Amino acid sequence: MRDRLLVAPSMGCCDLFRMEEQVKFIDSRADFLHMDIKDGNYVKTFGIGPDFMAYLKPHVKTPMDAHLMVKHPQDYIEACAEAGAAYITPHTDCIESDAFVTINKIRSLGCKAGIALNPAAPLEAIRYYLPLLSKVTIMIVDAGYAGQKVIVQMYDKIRTLVKWREEMGLKFLIEADGSMNWDVYQLLYDAGADVVVLGPPALWNKSKDIRKAWEIMEAEIKVEKKI
């Protein structure tokens, strides 16, 4: 059984005035570097782009995950692969008409394919291409809106996905994203999540000193196995 939750800090949240310090520190400790790429269309905010990842590529060793919160992910896949993404993760509702083409393109470029599901998106939508995936991201709030409460039904969604993974003999990671903080870690771990995405409330807001913020986060994220 998993000993702990893996962590994926959202790198677009780094302090611009302390970017080098924070990137180096996080890179030395994180399991993944989460890259929220937004187009102002699929979600009504903007985020970092492939150029941000390309700049970091020579300076980091931790796998970068391009979370494509964009209306037309197919337009970004090649750029993200060239920029050094280890994982490329579009949303289900943006690839419904060409899911296999999109996922196979990601894999053909040497990247691992992920998929992200908003809370209302059904798991059944991904069942037939689960064997092609290396990671499934369950949004536990609606994508693109800050300050939401966790949608508790998403714990059941994760449990169902864990069951499918076992039944199908697959090994993809299950990641939870949205409104992450101390009060959800144990619940997510118990449900079967492997990875959590850390935003400002989970990490950067803990302290202006990234070392202190990480120390607080690590203390909060500890989980207990249940026999």
Side-chain angles (χ1 to χ4, degrees):
M1 187 176 179
R2 302 150 300 142
D3 293 325
R4 65 180 181 92
L5 287 167
L6 304 176
V7 295
S10 183
M11 300 306 287
C13 301
C14 286
D15 186 334
L16 289 176
F17 291 96
R18 299 180 174 88
M19 180 66 72
E20 181 178 0
E21 173 197 358
Q22 294 193 357
V23 168
K24 286 181 176 178
F25 181 86
I26 292 170
D27 181 50
S28 69
R29 289 162 174 78
D31 299 291
F32 303 94
L33 303 181
H34 190 85
M35 306 291 175
D36 280 320
I37 297 175
K38 310 175 191 178
D39 61 358
N41 187 359
Y42 182 70
V43 294
K44 303 304 178 184
T45 53
F46 294 91
I48 57 177
D51 53 343
F52 181 88
M53 291 196 301
Y55 186 82
L56 290 186
K57 181 181 177 181
H59 306 289
V60 299
K61 65 182 188 306
T62 306
M64 293 189 288
D65 175 21
H67 178 192
L68 300 183
M69 302 165 76
V70 300
K71 192 70 173 176
H72 301 290
Q74 299 83 351
D75 295 340
Y76 292 76
I77 289 171
E78 289 186 6
C80 288
E82 291 174 4
Y87 292 77
I88 298 179
T89 306
H91 274 255
T92 53
D93 48 333
C94 297
I95 64 167
E96 287 177 349
S97 63
D98 57 0
F100 283 89
V101 169
T102 302
I103 292 167
N104 283 322
K105 183 175 182 179
I106 292 171
R107 288 160 55 97
S108 73
L109 292 169
C111 301
K112 295 180 179 180
I115 197 71
L117 296 90
N118 268 316
L123 279 178
E124 286 292 341
I126 69 171
R127 189 176 188 112
Y128 293 109
Y129 56 80
L130 268 176
L132 300 177
L133 300 177
S134 296
K135 179 173 66 67
V136 177
T137 300
I138 302 297
M139 300 299 301
I140 59 175
V141 299
D142 285 326
Y145 297 89
Q148 299 174 73
K149 292 183 178 179
V150 171
I151 300 168
V152 297
Q153 293 89 339
M154 295 306 101
Y155 300 127
D156 284 337
K157 199 173 193 178
I158 292 170
R159 291 186 190 99
T160 299
L161 191 56
V162 170
K163 182 180 178 183
W164 286 6
R165 182 171 63 181
E166 293 173 352
E167 290 174 349
M168 299 170 76
L170 301 175
K171 296 182 180 181
F172 58 82
L173 293 170
I174 299 173
E175 179 179 72
D177 187 357
S179 294
M180 206 60 59
N181 217 328
W182 63 271
D183 54 342
V184 300
Y185 297 132
Q186 187 68 51
L187 293 168
L188 288 169
Y189 180 80
D190 291 344
D194 304 298
V195 188
V196 290
V197 176
L198 307 179
L203 180 58
W204 287 269
N205 292 357
K206 302 295 183 186
S207 173
K208 290 183 179 180
D209 182 343
I210 191 63
R211 292 166 178 78
K212 180 63 176 176
W214 192 274
E215 181 181 321
I216 295 170
M217 179 277 294
E218 279 195 321
E220 292 179 345
I221 205 170
K222 287 184 178 178
V223 290
E224 297 181 4
K225 294 181 183 179
K226 293 185 178 179
I227 299 174

